Amino acid sequence: MDFLKDTSYAIAKMRMKYDEMDEKTVYKKGMRKGVKKGVKQGMVQGIIKGKISLLKELLRQKWELTESDEKELDSLNEAEVNQIVQVLNRINTSEDLHEQLKKLSDSKHEAENITQLSYTHD
């Protein structure tokens, strides 16, 4: 009888050890995936910040940017930055910039309203 208890105990200990090893393996894999995802997100954010910095520099060549101009530019996402770059030759003053940013904001709100309407009709 003692032999069976000892064997059962030994098997339980081995299972615990293997479960612990599996947990560590899963944890390590999760950490690697998290790091890769974080690096990708960081790279994307870095690219966007680089585009915004370049855009600011190009606009500074035309006029001196105010602090509010810089804050507005910093808040843009990648698609908005790309849209501003496409009309860059039409932006010669701070007012032109604000007009373009307002157009972006208006189109963004319009798209949100359309999305909300489509959900209410369903």
Side-chain angles (χ1 to χ4, degrees), residues 72 75-77 79-81 83-84 96-114:
E72 285 185 77
S75 69
L76 298 177
N77 62 34
E80 293 168 336
V81 170
Q83 288 178 342
I84 292 290
D96 294 340
L97 175 64
H98 292 287
E99 184 179 317
Q100 292 300 324
L101 292 173
K102 186 175 181 336
K103 285 180 184 177
L104 284 174
S105 176
D106 290 345
S107 65
K108 187 176 180 182
H109 290 299
E110 188 176 305
E112 288 173 356
N113 289 338
I114 290 171

Side-chain angles (χ1 to χ4, degrees), residues 4-98:
L4 291 176
K5 285 182 184 178
D6 291 342
T7 305
S8 178
Y9 180 72
I11 290 172
K13 270 181 85 174
M14 284 181 10
R15 279 191 185 151
M16 284 177 33
K17 186 66 176 172
Y18 281 112
D19 287 345
E20 186 179 306
M21 289 170 39
D22 284 344
E23 275 184 40
K24 287 180 182 178
T25 302
V26 168
Y27 178 77
K28 286 179 185 178
K29 285 181 182 177
M31 286 294 293
R32 280 195 297 267
K33 283 183 182 179
V35 167
K36 285 180 183 177
K37 186 176 180 182
V39 168
K40 281 183 183 177
Q41 288 175 345
M43 287 174 52
V44 169
Q45 290 299 320
I47 290 169
I48 293 169
K49 288 185 185 296
K51 285 182 178 182
I52 291 172
S53 294
L54 183 59
L55 178 61
K56 284 182 188 179
E57 192 58 40
L58 291 171
L59 293 173
R60 279 190 196 107
Q61 292 175 3
K62 296 181 179 189
W63 78 90
E64 186 174 329
L65 293 176
T66 64
E67 191 174 316
S68 65
D69 291 340
E70 292 200 24
K71 283 182 182 179
E72 285 185 77
L73 291 170
D74 286 335
S75 69
L76 298 177
N77 62 34
E78 186 174 15
E80 293 168 336
V81 170
N82 291 336
Q83 288 178 342
I84 292 290
V85 168
Q86 289 176 355
V87 295
L88 191 59
N89 61 345
R90 289 186 241 153
I91 300 175
N92 295 313
T93 64
S94 182
E95 290 77 27
D96 294 340
L97 175 64
H98 292 287

